[in-house]
Amino acid sequence: MNHSCRNLRVLIAYDGTEFSGWQKQKHVRTIQGDIEACLKRMTRENIPLHGAGRTDAGVHAEGMVAHFKTISHISTEDFLFGLNSMLPGSIRILDVIPVDYKFHARFSARKKQYHYTIFTGRIQPPSKRLYSLHIRDNLNLKKMSECMSHLQGTHDFSSFENSGSRDKSDLSGRGAVRTLSKASLTQKDNNSLVFDFIGDGFLRHMVRNLVGTLLESGRERLSVDLFKEILQAKDRTLAGPKAPPHGLSLIKIFY
Amino acid sequence: MNHSCRNLRVLIAYDGTEFSGWQKQKHVRTIQGDIEACLKRMTRENIPLHGAGRTDAGVHAEGMVAHFKTISHISTEDFLFGLNSMLPGSIRILDVIPVDYKFHARFSARKKQYHYTIFTGRIQPPSKRLYSLHIRDNLNLKKMSECMSHLQGTHDFSSFENSGSRDKSDLSGRGAVRTLSKASLTQKDNNSLVFDFIGDGFLRHMVRNLVGTLLESGRERLSVDLFKEILQAKDRTLAGPKAPPHGLSLIKIFY
C-alpha cells in the first residue's frame, strides 16, 4: 500500500436533466465523466471516480457518494472549492473527506435511499417540471400505500427488474433478492407526493418500474391483491410501465 | 365594436432560462412568440398577444398577464387545455378568462410585484441554480432592509434605470418617477433571501439595478447614507452593478 496515496470520499448533488446518466461513456456528457475530467485538470493524474451506483439519464441526485485515490497533496478543502469552480452548476460537490484506504463507495454501501416525486396539481409550475412527474389522474393514495407496505422486507424483485439488464459485476450471488427497509408514500404539500424507498440495493430501473406499477394501482387499474401477485410472480411482463426518469432522485447512501 | 370578438385575459407562468425574454423577436425564442404561434395554430387567426410588460432574457414569471382578442368560438377551457398541450413545459397557461373589451393587460395594470431571490448557503443545490443568485459573501440584512425602506414611496428612479433605455411608448409623462408601495427583504429559509417589490411601474432593469446596489450595501461597501444619495442623485453611473436575470421573477400584476 502506498502511504502517500489518499482515499477521498465525495458527496455529490446533481441535476441529471442534461446528462446521459452517471456512468462515463464516449461522446456524451455524464456526471462521472465531467468530474473525472476536472480531477485530471486539478491533479494531472488519471483518476477513476468510483460511484456508489449508477443513475440513468435524467435521474437526479441529492446525495450520491463516490471515492477516488490520489497521490496529490491538494487539501480536501481545495478539492471541494476547485471542483465546484470548474464543474457546471448542475453538478455540486457537497463534501470531500479523507477515508480509510479500504473504503469503497459501492462495496461499502449498506443502504440507498431514493425519492420519486409526483406533481398532482392541475397545472405543473415550470420550475417543478424537471424534478417531478406530472400526473393529472386522481390517485388513490390509500391503495398505493397499502401496495407499498407489501414491498417492505426481503423479496425477489424480478418482476420490477428490466429484463436482461442485471449488472454482470453483481458478485453477491443474491440474484434479484433485495431488502427494502422503507417503502412509503408521503404528501409533501397540497400538490406533491413522494415515494420514499430505502433498500440494501436496487435492481436496474427497479424504482421506476415500482412507481409505474404503483401509479396503476393508484388509478384503480390494479388491485392490491394483483399487485402482490405481480411481486410474487417474478415476471417482468406483468408489472406496469416504467415511470420516466425526471421524478427520481438518489437521496442518500448509507455506510 | 365587433360583438362576436372576445377579449381574453391569460395568466402565464414561465421559466425564462431558455428564452430571449418575453417580447417577440425574429430568429430567437421568446415567450410571446411561442404563445402567439400556438394561438395561430388553434384559431388560424393572426392574434397579437399583449403582455402587461416585458421581461428580459432569463427572467422568470409566476404571474404574467396578457390579453388577446379572437373571433373564434373556442371556449376558455379549451384555450387553457389546448395551449398547455402545445406549449413547452417551461411555459404554462394558468388561467384564461373573458374580460371587458376595454381591458388591456398593460394599460389597465395598476401595480406589479417582483421577487429577486438570493441563495446564501455555501454550496447552491443544482435545483436552485436557475432560480436564485448565489452570493457567498456575508450580507448585512439589517443594512439592506434599511436601504430598502428608503425606496418606498414616490421617487425619480433615474439612478436605477438603464441609460438610454426608456420605453419610447411611455406616454404617461411621468418620466422616471415611480411609486413603490412595497420594498422589503424576507428570509425565506435558512439559506434564501427574497427582495420583494411592489410598484406602480418599473423602469427597464430597475429591479436588477436596485438589487445589485442593495447587495453592495449588504457587503458593507456602501453606507445607507450613500445609498440614499445615489437614489437622490438621479445618476445611473453611481449605482452598483446590475444583478443577473435568473434571480428575478415577475410574481403578480394587480388590476
Side-chain angles (χ1 to χ4, degrees):
Chain A
M1 193 193 298
N2 183 344
H3 284 283
S4 68
C5 179
R6 285 175 302 159
N7 190 15
L8 298 178
R9 169 175 155 175
V10 192
L11 184 66
I12 309 160
Y14 49 84
D15 177 334
T17 308
E18 289 174 353
F19 292 92
S20 301
W22 165 267
Q23 195 178 28
K24 190 165 63 173
Q25 296 170 62
K26 277 185 184 160
H27 311 306
V28 294
R29 267 187 88 195
T30 65
I31 322 294
Q32 185 189 25
D34 266 30
I35 301 176
E36 284 188 359
C38 292
L39 285 172
K40 182 162 189 175
R41 278 177 64 193
M42 285 189 81
T43 62
R44 308 197 178 207
E45 300 165 59
N46 283 309
I47 294 182
L49 180 72
H50 301 277
R54 303 168 187 172
T55 54
D56 294 318
V59 172
H60 314 295
E62 291 182 26
M64 173 61 104
V65 175
H67 78 272
F68 67 91
K69 289 176 174 160
T70 176
I71 55 167
S72 76
H73 296 284
I74 298 167
S75 71
T76 52
E77 193 57 18
D78 285 349
F79 267 119
L80 181 69
F81 184 81
L83 289 171
N84 280 330
S85 307
M86 288 188 282
L87 287 165
S90 49
I91 303 178
R92 290 293 87 184
I93 307 298
L94 304 178
D95 203 12
V96 181
I97 56 165
V99 284
D100 188 276
Y101 205 80
K102 282 178 288 186
F103 174 84
H104 191 289
R106 180 158 159 233
F107 300 123
S108 306
R110 288 190 307 107
K111 289 180 180 180
K112 293 179 187 171
Q113 181 172 29
Y114 283 97
H115 280 177
Y116 197 101
T117 306
I118 309 279
F119 182 82
T120 55
R122 189 172 176 218
I123 298 164
Q124 187 174 41
S127 62
K128 296 201 171 183
R129 76 191 187 285
L130 305 175
Y131 310 111
S132 52
L133 173 65
H134 189 196
I135 301 278
R136 267 161 288 214
D137 307 311
N138 283 323
L139 294 174
N140 184 331
L141 308 194
K142 199 165 154 271
K143 207 164 169 185
M144 291 194 290
S145 289
E146 201 183 329
C147 289
M148 290 182 91
S149 70
H150 294 292
L151 293 172
Q152 293 182 29
T154 303
H155 304 279
D156 182 314
F157 285 97
S158 297
S159 294
F160 300 101
E161 175 177 29
N162 262 36
S163 51
S165 64
R166 185 86 47 84
D167 186 339
K168 287 184 187 64
S169 66
D170 179 9
L171 307 169
S172 65
R174 60 184 171 168
V177 175
R178 298 291 183 274
T179 300
L180 295 191
S181 49
K182 186 173 190 179
S184 69
L185 182 63
T186 40
Q187 186 120 24
K188 227 171 79 181
D189 51 55
N190 259 341
N191 289 320
S192 290
L193 293 177
V194 179
F195 292 93
D196 188 356
F197 297 97
I198 299 179
D200 64 355
F202 291 87
L203 305 169
R204 186 139 194 250
H205 295 168
M206 177 172 149
V207 178
R208 291 165 59 191
N209 287 328
L210 280 171
V211 169
T213 310
L214 288 164
L215 288 171
E216 288 297 283
S217 87
R219 291 176 178 114
E220 311 278 10
R221 292 182 195 157
L222 198 73
S223 69
V224 177
D225 282 342
L226 193 50
F227 186 84
K228 280 160 70 178
E229 278 173 38
I230 291 170
L231 175 60
Q232 285 155 12
K234 302 169 200 170
D235 177 357
R236 175 64 188 101
T237 62
L238 300 174
K242 181 166 67 186
H246 65 283
L248 186 61
S249 184
L250 171 59
I251 299 299
K252 189 174 176 178
I253 313 287
F254 297 79
Y255 290 96
Chain B
M1 192 195 298
N2 181 344
H3 284 284
S4 68
C5 181
R6 286 176 300 160
N7 192 14
L8 299 178
R9 169 175 155 177
V10 192
L11 183 66
I12 309 160
Y14 49 85
D15 177 334
T17 307
E18 289 174 354
F19 292 92
S20 300
W22 166 267
Q23 195 178 28
K24 191 166 60 173
Q25 295 170 61
K26 275 183 185 162
H27 313 304
V28 294
R29 267 187 88 194
T30 66
I31 322 292
Q32 185 188 25
D34 266 29
I35 301 176
E36 285 188 357
C38 292
L39 285 172
K40 182 162 189 176
R41 279 178 64 193
M42 284 188 81
T43 63
R44 308 198 177 207
E45 301 166 56
N46 284 309
I47 296 182
L49 180 72
H50 301 277
R54 303 168 187 174
T55 54
D56 293 318
V59 172
H60 313 294
E62 291 180 26
M64 173 62 104
V65 174
H67 78 272
F68 67 92
K69 288 175 175 160
T70 176
I71 54 166
S72 75
H73 296 285
I74 298 168
S75 71
T76 52
E77 192 58 19
D78 285 348
F79 267 120
L80 181 69
F81 184 80
L83 288 171
N84 280 331
S85 307
M86 287 187 282
L87 287 165
S90 48
I91 303 177
R92 290 292 86 184
I93 307 298
L94 306 178
D95 203 11
V96 181
I97 54 167
V99 284
D100 188 275
Y101 205 80
K102 282 178 287 187
F103 173 84
H104 191 290
R106 181 158 160 231
F107 300 124
S108 307
R110 288 190 307 107
K111 289 181 180 179
K112 293 177 187 172
Q113 181 173 28
Y114 283 97
H115 280 177
Y116 196 100
T117 306
I118 309 279
F119 181 82
T120 55
R122 188 172 177 218
I123 298 164
Q124 187 174 41
S127 61
K128 297 201 170 182
R129 76 192 188 285
L130 305 175
Y131 311 110
S132 52
L133 173 65
H134 189 196
I135 300 279
R136 266 161 289 215
D137 307 310
N138 282 323
L139 294 173
N140 185 330
L141 307 194
K142 198 165 156 272
K143 208 163 168 186
M144 291 194 290
S145 289
E146 201 182 330
C147 289
M148 290 182 90
S149 70
H150 296 290
L151 294 172
Q152 293 182 29
T154 302
H155 304 278
D156 182 314
F157 285 97
S158 296
S159 294
F160 300 101
E161 175 177 29
N162 263 36
S163 51
S165 63
R166 183 86 46 85
D167 187 339
K168 287 181 186 67
S169 65
D170 180 9
L171 307 169
S172 64
R174 61 185 169 166
V177 175
R178 298 290 183 275
T179 301
L180 295 190
S181 48
K182 185 172 191 180
S184 69
L185 183 62
T186 41
Q187 185 120 25
K188 225 171 78 180
D189 51 57
N190 257 340
N191 289 319
S192 290
L193 293 176
V194 179
F195 293 93
D196 187 357
F197 298 97
I198 300 179
D200 65 353
F202 291 87
L203 305 169
R204 184 139 194 250
H205 295 170
M206 177 172 149
V207 178
R208 291 165 59 189
N209 287 328
L210 280 171
V211 169
T213 311
L214 288 164
L215 287 171
E216 289 297 281
S217 88
R219 290 177 179 114
E220 310 279 9
R221 293 181 193 156
L222 197 74
S223 70
V224 177
D225 282 344
L226 193 51
F227 185 86
K228 280 161 70 178
E229 279 174 35
I230 292 170
L231 174 61
Q232 285 153 13
K234 302 170 202 169
D235 177 355
R236 174 65 187 102
T237 62
L238 299 174
K242 180 167 67 187
H246 65 282
L248 186 60
S249 184
L250 171 58
I251 301 298
K252 188 173 177 177
I253 314 287
F254 298 78
Y255 290 96

